[in-house]
């Protein structure tokens, strides 16, 4: 500070002020003058006897000025040359280091998911089609199969924002994690529980017609425009607008836009932090599977937030590969705790009745703050807390969305407007037996998509189907469910000892079909009357309590759980009981009050040990 003050005082003194005034007034337009001006501090810092002698001589002739300028240019050139040499040397050392590591095998090239294929020009997409399906999931696949079944020469255009042809989602959280063949997993091939291999895709690539060839195809076909999104629909004019404003006119249209993973508020904030956003994973599609699979290999600890179907399945799969309890919103409390123990047995630490209230960056990864005051340090976190229906097209198209359940409101024929149908996760339909509903399961996507496709070809069928869903905790424990399965409802469980054939692996071995909604697809009328032998066996069986006592040795090997509303059965879970869904559908259809649900459970033949 003292030097600054002294130098300021010097500049205000008469001789120096006169000198600098001359420099700025006479030399400011000249390059030499500017450089000479900046020479002053450099000369000022030289070691001289007096302060005045440290300044450049104002009486220097032109030759001295040119000499000083040349010296400055030379010094600057030498500095640039030195920096260039250092940069080149650094690059050579870096290249040599990486080459050495590669040669010694200390680094491994890891093949990443290839980027999505480049979009075809929208002009190659037909601008006028008989059938337009928006969304490339299971519901659309089921719909175009139904359309082609009724009208073999139909020309169907599918618009999907994914880069893949239609594929199955259930194996992404189940069987594909148990395939140890990395090469087949890269090709998206999974092994069913019986060991047979199957592709994740419904059809091979050559099944589909190129978009540019669809209209001219004499036998029609199905074309899939991948990587495109529809931004709005003009329902009155029957025009869909792509994201680049390309217009597609349709005769009949299906909206099967599916759902998007829900993100809780605490993780919405965390995703906005670029330092930790890459460590927070969602799980819905093929890219998510590949991303999470890579994260599993690179992580020591992964947290799964959410104990529902998806979270429990992923926990079991990941634990084996290296709410209250799990599924606490679906299963009765005692069975939820049993399921939690099953998940723990796979090497998973379970923290029931716990919420994440904060996420912070940590030198080791992520720091999760829990509502019980505990903290967890993890490498990555997978958020599986449900999904929200994709209804972004509702406002522009003047479509009604259910304020409570979400999803587009449709009539019993799955119509939202004239010639506009809705199917799958984004449809909110009226169930005559159970009221207004929205379902996010594979079987519902299959059946609602098929019915919508049939109605698009003129069938006019109502949607009365009671869709089922299933979940597998590995190859040994699984269940199927139908109706309203809500743990807040009163339940009655009837259990029996399981046998070797009572497991997901056994039922797949018997049917060679891993998608169990397929084996349960066609409802059959069931015999409501028991034979004398069945009645005798029922009398000999142990009477089940409404709330089984696990301390008495019950291991819940297999059984039937009834969910009641006003004493009427509104939901049923078949626990390790398979190929009995037709009976469950009939029980729900009857809408009866039963005095003894043990007798109803006998219809499912759970006490047969043969």
């Amino acid at each position: 500070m003292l030097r600054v003050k002294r130098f300021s005082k010097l500049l205000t003194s008469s001789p120096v002020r006169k000198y600098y005034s001359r420099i700025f007034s006479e030399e400011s337009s000249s390059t030499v003058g500017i450089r000479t001006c900046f020479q002053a501090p450099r000369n000022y810092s030289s070691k001289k006897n007096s302060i005045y002698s440290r300044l450049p001589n104002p009486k220097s002739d032109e030759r001295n000025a040119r000499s000083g300028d040349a010296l400055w240019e030379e010094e600057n050139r030498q500095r640039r040359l030195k920096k260039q040499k250092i940069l080149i040397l650094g690059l050579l050392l870096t290249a040599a280091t990486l080459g050495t590591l590669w040669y010694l095998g200390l680094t491994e090239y890891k093949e990443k998911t290839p980027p999505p294929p480049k979009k075809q020009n929208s002009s190659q997409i037909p601008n006028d089609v008989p059938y337009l399906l928006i969304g490339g999931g299971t519901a659309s696949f089921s719909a175009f199969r139904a359309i082609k079944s009724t009208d073999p020469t139909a020309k169907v255009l599918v618009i999907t924002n994914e880069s893949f042809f239609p594929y199955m989602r259930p194996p992404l959280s189940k069987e594909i994690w148990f395939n140890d063949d990395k090469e087949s997993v890269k090709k998206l091939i999974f092994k069913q529980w019986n060991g047979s291999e199957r592709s994740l895709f419904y059809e091979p690539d050559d099944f589909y017609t190129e978009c540019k060839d669809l209209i001219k195809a004499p036998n029609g076909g199905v074309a899939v425009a991948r990587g495109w999104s529809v931004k709005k629909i003009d329902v009155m004019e029957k025009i869909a607008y792509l994201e680049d404003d390309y217009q597609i006119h349709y005769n009949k249209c299906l909206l099967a836009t599916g759902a998007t993973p829900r993100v809780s508020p605490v993780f919405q904030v965390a995703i906005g932090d670029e330092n930790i956003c890459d460590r927070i994973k969602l799980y819905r599609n093929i890219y998510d599977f590949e991303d999470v699979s890579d994260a599993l290999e690179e992580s020591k600890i992964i947290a799964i937030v959410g104990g529902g179907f998806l979270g429990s399945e992923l926990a079991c799969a990941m634990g084996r590969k290296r709410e209250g309890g799990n599924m606490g919103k679906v299963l009765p409390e005692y069975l939820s705790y049993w399921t939690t123990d099953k998940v723990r047995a796979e090497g998973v630490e379970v923290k029931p009745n716990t919420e994440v209230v904060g996420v912070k960056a940590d030198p080791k990864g992520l720091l999760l703050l829990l509502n019980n005051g505990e903290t967890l340090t993890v490498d990555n976190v997978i958020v599986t807390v449900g999904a929200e229906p994709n209804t972004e097209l509702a406002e522009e198209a003047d479509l009604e969305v259910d304020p409570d359940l979400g999803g587009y409101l449709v009539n019993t024929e799955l119509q939202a407007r004239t010639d506009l149908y809705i199917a799958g996760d984004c449809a909110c339909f009226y169930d005559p037996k159970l009221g207004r509903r929205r379902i996010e399961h594979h079987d519902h996507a299959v059946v609602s998509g098929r019915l919508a496709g049939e109605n698009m070809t003129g069938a006019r069928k109502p949607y009365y189907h009671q869709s089922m869903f299933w979940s597998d905790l590995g190859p040994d424990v699984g269940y199927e469910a139908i109706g309203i399965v809500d743990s807040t409802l009163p339940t009655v469980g009837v259990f029996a000892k399981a046998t070797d054939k009572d497991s997901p692996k056994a039922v797949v071995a018997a049917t060679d079909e891993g998608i169990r909604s397929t084996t349960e697809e066609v409802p059959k009328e069931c015999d409501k009357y028991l034979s004398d032998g069945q009645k005798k066996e029922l009398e000999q069986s142990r009477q089940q309590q409404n709330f089984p006592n696990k301390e008495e040795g019950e291991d819940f090997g297999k059984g039937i759980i009834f969910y009641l509303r006003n004493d009427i059965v509104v939901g049923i879970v078949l626990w390790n009981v398979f190929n009995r869904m037709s009976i469950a559908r009939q029980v729900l259809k009857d809408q009866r009050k039963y005095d003894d649900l043990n007798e109803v459970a006998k219809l499912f033949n759970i006490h047969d040990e043969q």
Side-chain angles (χ1 to χ4, degrees):
M1 180 65 72
L2 181 59
R3 284 184 181 178
V4 172
K5 288 183 177 179
R6 288 178 63 189
F7 190 65
S8 300
K9 185 176 180 181
L10 173 63
L11 292 177
T12 58
S13 63
S14 179
V16 176
R17 182 176 58 192
K18 182 178 180 181
Y19 166 65
Y20 272 94
S21 297
R22 202 186 80 171
I23 290 229
F24 282 106
S25 62
E26 297 179 3
E27 307 280 353
S28 60
S29 61
S30 130
T31 305
V32 175
I34 294 176
R35 287 172 179 161
T36 304
C37 177
F38 286 104
Q39 293 274 347
R42 197 160 55 244
N43 293 335
Y44 171 76
S45 63
S46 62
K47 297 181 180 179
K48 299 293 181 180
N49 294 328
S50 67
I51 237 173
Y52 286 97
S53 64
R54 297 172 192 173
L55 294 171
N57 186 357
K59 297 182 179 180
S60 297
D61 56 21
E62 184 177 347
R63 183 178 58 186
N64 290 337
R66 285 197 302 268
S67 176
D69 185 58
L71 179 62
W72 186 88
E73 289 284 359
E74 179 64 21
E75 290 177 356
N76 191 37
R77 190 183 69 82
Q78 292 292 337
R79 284 195 297 270
R80 289 199 305 268
L81 185 60
K82 184 178 179 179
K83 290 179 180 178
Q84 289 174 357
K85 289 180 179 180
I86 294 174
L87 177 61
I88 293 173
L89 180 61
L91 291 174
L92 289 174
L93 288 174
T94 302
T97 302
L98 292 176
T100 303
L101 291 174
W102 183 274
Y103 178 76
L104 294 176
L106 299 179
T107 61
E108 181 182 356
Y109 171 72
K110 190 170 187 180
E111 184 179 356
K112 296 295 183 181
T113 302
K118 186 178 180 180
K119 290 181 182 178
Q120 60 192 117
N121 192 301
S122 58
S123 62
Q124 297 181 357
I125 300 174
N127 60 7
D128 194 339
V129 292
Y131 300 100
L132 176 64
L133 312 183
I134 301 174
T138 296
S140 282
F141 170 77
S142 186
F144 72 62
R145 286 188 65 181
I147 292 171
K148 293 292 288 183
S149 177
T150 304
D151 182 3
T153 61
K155 298 171 182 178
V156 183
L157 175 63
V158 180
I159 304 289
T160 175
N161 58 7
E162 291 198 57
S163 58
F164 302 99
F165 289 113
Y167 60 89
M168 294 176 278
R169 295 190 190 275
L172 288 176
S173 61
K174 299 177 178 69
E175 294 95 331
I176 200 167
W177 286 96
F178 292 83
N179 189 352
D180 295 327
D181 186 350
K182 293 184 178 181
E183 291 303 317
S184 63
V185 171
K186 286 181 180 179
K187 298 175 183 177
L188 299 175
I189 295 173
F190 66 93
K191 288 186 178 181
Q192 300 186 128
W193 297 133
N194 64 350
S196 61
E197 291 189 343
R198 185 171 181 179
S199 172
L200 198 67
F201 297 96
Y202 287 113
E203 300 287 356
D205 292 359
D206 58 8
F207 168 85
Y208 300 96
T209 304
E210 292 287 342
C211 288
K212 59 184 177 61
D213 301 328
L214 179 62
I215 300 303
K216 296 180 181 179
N219 296 321
V222 179
V224 181
R226 295 174 290 167
W228 288 96
S229 296
V230 173
K231 69 176 184 179
K232 68 176 181 179
I233 297 178
D234 186 334
V235 177
M236 299 300 294
E237 298 296 330
K238 296 185 179 181
I239 298 176
Y241 293 82
L242 298 184
E243 58 207 77
D244 66 348
D245 290 323
Y246 184 77
Q247 299 180 18
I248 303 174
H249 182 272
Y250 62 84
N251 293 340
K252 301 290 178 65
C253 179
L254 171 70
L255 285 183
T257 50
T260 300
R262 182 183 296 122
V263 183
S264 57
V266 64
F267 286 104
Q268 288 179 0
V269 175
I271 289 176
D273 185 345
E274 61 181 10
N275 296 320
I276 60 177
C277 61
D278 289 341
R279 296 180 179 271
I280 301 172
K281 316 291 185 182
L282 303 178
Y283 202 85
R284 183 73 179 176
N285 54 38
I286 289 175
Y287 285 128
D288 295 335
F289 162 71
E290 292 173 333
D291 185 27
V292 170
S293 182
D294 288 345
L296 179 62
E297 293 184 2
E298 299 167 356
S299 303
K300 292 183 178 179
I301 302 176
I302 284 185
I304 299 176
V305 178
F309 310 109
L310 180 58
S312 297
E313 289 172 355
L314 288 177
C316 278
M318 292 182 177
R320 176 169 293 201
K321 196 166 185 178
R322 292 200 279 207
E323 1 203 341
N326 286 70
M327 303 188 210
K329 293 184 178 181
V330 175
L331 301 178
E333 187 177 29
Y334 61 88
L335 199 54
S336 172
Y337 289 144
W338 186 93
T339 305
T340 301
D341 291 340
K342 169 64 179 175
V343 174
R344 286 194 178 106
E346 299 292 350
V348 179
E349 180 183 357
V350 181
K351 290 186 174 294
N353 301 313
T354 306
E355 294 181 7
V356 177
V357 296
V359 182
K360 294 182 178 180
D362 184 85
K364 297 181 180 179
L366 290 177
L367 184 67
L368 305 183
L369 310 177
L370 308 183
N371 62 341
N372 59 6
E374 296 181 9
T375 60
L376 290 176
T377 302
V378 300
D379 298 301
N380 291 279
V381 60
I382 307 171
V383 182
T384 61
V385 291
E388 298 287 349
N390 294 323
T391 56
E392 294 83 1
L393 297 174
E395 185 174 354
E396 289 280 353
D398 292 330
L399 301 178
E400 188 175 2
V401 175
D402 188 277
D404 299 320
L405 301 175
Y408 300 103
L409 286 174
V410 296
N411 61 19
T412 56
E413 296 177 9
L414 300 182
Q415 268 190 321
R417 298 283 291 275
T418 301
D419 296 329
L420 181 64
Y421 297 79
I422 316 288
D425 296 354
C426 64
C428 186
F429 62 97
Y430 181 75
D431 186 327
K433 302 291 183 182
L434 305 176
R436 179 68 62 178
R437 304 179 69 193
R438 189 180 70 82
I439 300 175
E440 298 174 359
H441 294 296
H442 179 84
D443 180 54
H444 170 67
V446 171
V447 178
S448 65
R450 181 174 64 229
L451 184 103
E454 291 172 349
N455 287 345
M456 291 170 76
T457 58
R460 304 192 59 162
K461 294 181 179 178
Y463 185 73
Y464 291 149
H465 177 73
Q466 287 293 340
S467 62
M468 57 85 68
F469 63 91
W470 79 99
S471 181
D472 294 338
L473 301 180
D476 301 322
V477 176
Y479 67 87
E480 300 174 356
I482 189 172
I484 299 176
V485 286
D486 184 342
S487 61
T488 62
L489 294 174
T491 61
V492 174
V494 181
F495 291 87
K497 183 179 179 180
T499 65
D500 292 339
K501 66 180 181 180
D502 300 315
S503 70
K505 182 177 181 179
V507 71
V508 174
T511 62
D512 196 30
E513 176 58 64
I515 305 298
R516 290 212 296 280
S517 60
T518 302
T519 61
E520 304 283 6
E521 200 167 42
V522 182
K524 299 177 181 178
E525 294 297 322
C526 63
D527 186 0
K528 300 180 183 180
Y529 302 98
L530 300 177
S531 65
D532 293 339
Q534 288 176 323
K535 291 180 179 178
K536 183 177 180 180
E537 185 178 357
L538 176 62
E539 293 173 358
Q540 293 175 350
S541 65
R542 178 172 63 87
Q543 294 295 322
Q544 302 290 332
Q545 302 282 332
N546 283 4
F547 193 95
N549 186 353
K550 191 177 178 182
E551 294 180 357
E552 295 178 359
E554 178 61 77
D555 64 355
F556 308 125
K558 65 177 179 179
I560 311 296
I561 302 97
F562 300 97
Y563 293 73
L564 308 176
R565 187 168 62 189
N566 298 326
D567 295 328
I568 295 175
V569 177
V570 295
I572 299 174
V573 167
L574 310 181
W575 186 259
N576 267 349
V577 175
F578 308 101
N579 299 322
R580 300 289 189 277
M581 191 54 64
S582 59
I583 302 175
R585 283 195 174 96
Q586 187 63 44
V587 172
L588 291 184
K589 181 180 179 181
D590 287 347
Q591 291 282 287
R592 286 178 48 191
K593 293 183 179 181
Y594 295 96
D595 295 331
D596 187 359
L597 287 172
N598 286 283
E599 186 172 342
V600 180
K602 191 57 186 177
L603 292 171
F604 296 86
N605 204 25
I606 63 172
H607 298 288
D608 182 11
E609 298 184 5
Q610 295 181 354

